Amino acid sequence: MSKKTTAQPPEKLTGIELTEVPKSAVGVKAITSALSHVKNEVGLFKGIGLLANINQKYGFDCPGCAWPDPDEKRTFLAEYCENGAKAIAEEATKNMVSPMFFATHSVNELAKLSDYEIGKSGRITHPMYLPEGKDNYEEISWGKAFKLIADELNGLDSPDEAIFYTSGRTSNEAAFLYQLFVREFGTNNLPDCSNMCHESSGVALSETLGIGKGSVTLDDFNHADLVIVIGQNPGTNHPRMLTALSETKKKGGKIITINPLPEVGLMNYKDPQNPLKWIGKGQDLTDLFLQVKINGDVALLKIILKLMKEQEDLKPNSVFDHQFIKEKTAGINDLLKDLDNYSIDELLPQTGLTLKEVEAAAKLIINNEKVIICWAMGLTQHKNAVDNIREVVNILLLKGSIGKKGAGTCPVRGHSNVQGDRTMGIWEKAPDTFLDNLEKEFNFKAPRKHGFDVVEAIEAMHAKKAKVFFGMGGNFVSATPDTEFTADALRNCNLTVQVSTKLNRSHLITGKKALILPCLGRSEKDYQTSGQQFVSVENSMGVVHLSRGHLEPCSEKTLSETAIVANLANITLKKSNTDWINLTSHYDLIRDKIEATIPGFENYNKRVRVKGGFYLPNNARENNFEPTKTGKANFSINKPSEIELEKNQFMMMTIRTHDQYNTTIYGLNDRYRGVLNERRVVFMNADDMQNLGLQKLDLVDLTSHFKDEKREAKGFLAIPYDIPSQCTATYFPEANVLVPIKSKANISNTPASKTVIITIKKR
Ligand SMILES: Nc1nc2c(c(=O)[nH]1)N[C@H]1C(S)=C(S)[C@@H](COP(=O)(O)OP(=O)(O)OC[C@H]3O[C@@H](n4cnc5c(=O)[nH]c(N)nc54)[C@H](O)[C@@H]3O)O[C@H]1N2
Ligand SMILES: Nc1nc2c(c(=O)[nH]1)N[C@H]1C(S)=C(S)[C@@H](COP(=O)(O)OP(=O)(O)OC[C@H]3O[C@@H](n4cnc5c(=O)[nH]c(N)nc54)[C@H](O)[C@@H]3O)O[C@H]1N2
Ligand SMILES: [Mo]
């Protein structure tokens, strides 16, 4: 039935209003905006109680981003941010999607709504089943739902015909059980949102530094001489990071921002903790803003490397940390030799910057000792994304700026437990040592063949080589590239299952049969037979800490993700040496198993109960690079972008608004970019618009070009914006239909959703 519907958000415009781009981020507007969301979704009284519990040492972990909490000082106002409050409001909403809702709204009808409207429908209260050929979900018992999945899984020709996706909100306890179930079932098909997110960072950092995670702690921001924020928009996506940057500045450190857009949050900031500062100018954060062209980063970093080398040659020992390089690294000579293959004149046009601007950045790097480099999707979602990050590492290694206070790598993670899920083994390419430990502890034969990542999973379903899709959270159809292709892939499945809190488009674009399994959210109390449980998560800086729900569950029929996995494993696995149901009776039992399998979790149950949690081991932080292939930190040789645009073509990046969490749309405003009440917009350089004969708010259609393939997205409003020439920006998921499934990063296989080549046509 769902075959007739499109998987794209509707083309409908919602009534745009343009305002001035604000000069400062956070401040009082952030608080009023957050409170109004909380009031509308949850009610003010219950809402305030909830906010008081976010990120407090025994409260629940904010389901917003993975930015860490301070180890010491935690105040009521500081530990949630505008977008954290919105994330909570979204989860604790009064609106419920009940069996009655599904009886009166068909799948076809719901699929015509926007993602904003779908999400606002609310929390799913009962397990629901969409039988083959039907257009309305029907209530189903948990027992029948589990049996249906088990039968379908056990009826497959091979376990590799099933896909088990994970979004990054799943707790350590649930994630650990989930990957164990999937591997006992017999496959490593465990793609996750990380494949679309920081996979390029993981690949580049493992190869160069021997650990796929960042090296800095929050305290390092208090000691840094220089912080570089490249390809990241913390004002919207990690607002609490602005507090850390503000501390760096207060202590005399400098900040360089490298971004095609002058993102407001990075320019000026008003501390939400300090009401006296809400009025007035705020604090300037960025000292030097480099408005780089999209994907011009390797070219830019290479010029900086060349300038560093030039200065070192001129004045030996003034730039490079020779002792560190000699003792701890490998490959410096190859790097320095390779730099000679490039001329600054050739590289500069790719950056869109003047030599003076790049020289200013190089000077700051040369003259400061302790450097932190932070990045996110602006570096990871390109064809040469892994090169981007390795080039960042080259700069830090030359300076010896790693493994010491105030210096190091800071890939800023997205989902609140995406890093923990990886640690727990949610990984299609988990290393053999991990699988060996699992086999020993659980007494079974773990599959060794690597599984599918996100892109490979879509291709397998499209080719009918995979037939069951199971989603542990997330919104697969809207988050992945090439919307229509992915939708067809899901429709090819015999069964699609979504474990979800809220209604989303992946419930409406389904396999022949579909199930929705409603689960508890982070903010809710999790009762098992031994009483209320807590779970644990790992933040972006490798701190594992507990999270305990505060609200009563939204419905009696929801189950915890942990219980869902255990029940499914119990009925699906014919021979398992694990007592699945007993394990979930008390989550300490699961944590004991994690401790027995994964290094770094010694005394897990004890240490997780200590206020603030504990740090996992991190070799790069400890200045030890033994886990790499050479046993040292590796310099690397990287290539600038090879994409060449034709004259009429533009580079498009797909980014987030201030009012969304990935595919969850909180509201229709992008306050920090001056766009209200509309998501179908394309930000363009004003001269480019003039050359195309476009006026502000003209309606345009976008076509993407990849090899001989074309894809179309219709009906966007053109907005003149402060963005380099030939660069454009649209929002995801509206523009995902334009991202070709085969356009992805080398090695990491991450969809290149920030380098989409488009042409623009006026209606
Ligand atoms: N409120 C809120 N918080 C979130 C999320 C959310 O959707 N909403 N999502 C969460 C998740 S899963 C993630 S991964 C993070 C994402 O956090 P971000 O990576 O900050 O998110 P994006 O909107 O993708 O922004 C990418 C930034 O990179 C810039 N950029 C794009 N291309 C390039 C380039 O080629 N070079 C450079 N130098 N810059 C470039 C863009 O202008 C933009 O500022 O946020 C997490 N937190
Ligand atoms: N074009 C383009 N595409 C992108 C990106 C981009 O920048 N551009 N960014 C990519 C990135 S960085 C990421 S991380 C992915 C995100 O991909 P996903 O993680 O798959 O997507 P989300 O939108 O975060 O998932 C939202 C859904 O998760 C469910 N949910 C929320 N909380 C919970 C919970 O506690 N438990 C369970 N079981 N379900 C829950 C709700 O039903 C909600 O509808 O998207 C990627 N897609
Ligand atoms: Mo992400």
Side-chain angles (χ1 to χ4, degrees), residues 165 167 169 193 196-197 377 381 415 473-475 479 499-502 504 519 561 654 656 661-664 732 736 753-754:
Y165 174 70
S167 165
R169 278 201 189 172
C193 69
M196 300 181 268
C197 185
M377 299 304 101
Q381 298 175 331
H415 268 301
N475 181 3
V499 179
S500 311
T501 50
K502 298 201 68 178
N504 67 43
C519 69
E561 291 178 349
T654 54
R656 294 155 168 79
Y661 193 92
N662 300 337
T663 69
T664 300
F732 111 84
N736 281 28
S753 43
K754 299 278 193 274

Side-chain angles (χ1 to χ4, degrees), residues 167-188:
S167 165
R169 278 201 189 172
T170 298
S171 67
N172 283 355
E173 290 76 1
F176 183 78
L177 286 194
Y178 183 48
Q179 62 80 32
L180 177 65
F181 158 58
V182 170
R183 294 194 163 108
E184 284 201 26
F185 174 64
T187 180
N188 281 311

Side-chain angles (χ1 to χ4, degrees), residues 36-48:
S36 110
H37 274 261
V38 171
K39 187 167 142 261
N40 292 340
E41 295 284 332
V42 191
L44 202 53
F45 185 69
K46 182 172 152 197
I48 295 283

Side-chain angles (χ1 to χ4, degrees), residues 296-345:
D297 302 276
V298 172
L300 166 62
L301 298 173
K302 243 186 222 321
I303 303 177
I304 293 178
L305 285 166
K306 281 180 77 75
L307 294 171
M308 287 166 75
K309 175 171 180 263
E310 229 173 78
Q311 181 65 23
E312 176 69 25
D313 288 345
L314 215 63
K315 232 174 121 193
N317 290 319
S318 66
V319 186
F320 297 172
D321 183 338
H322 289 286
Q323 195 186 344
F324 174 85
I325 292 171
K326 191 163 157 245
E327 282 172 16
K328 298 283 179 184
T329 72
I332 174 117
N333 292 333
D334 291 342
L335 169 71
L336 295 180
K337 216 162 74 204
D338 182 68
L339 286 177
D340 293 337
N341 295 332
Y342 297 89
S343 79
I344 292 183
D345 289 347

Side-chain angles (χ1 to χ4, degrees), residues 224-252:
D225 300 324
L226 176 67
V227 178
I228 303 176
V229 183
I230 175 167
Q232 194 204 346
N233 177 22
T236 284
N237 298 313
H238 307 91
R240 289 179 306 133
M241 177 174 161
L242 299 183
T243 314
L245 294 175
S246 158
E247 290 302 316
T248 304
K249 289 290 304 235
K250 281 184 203 154
K251 302 211 162 73

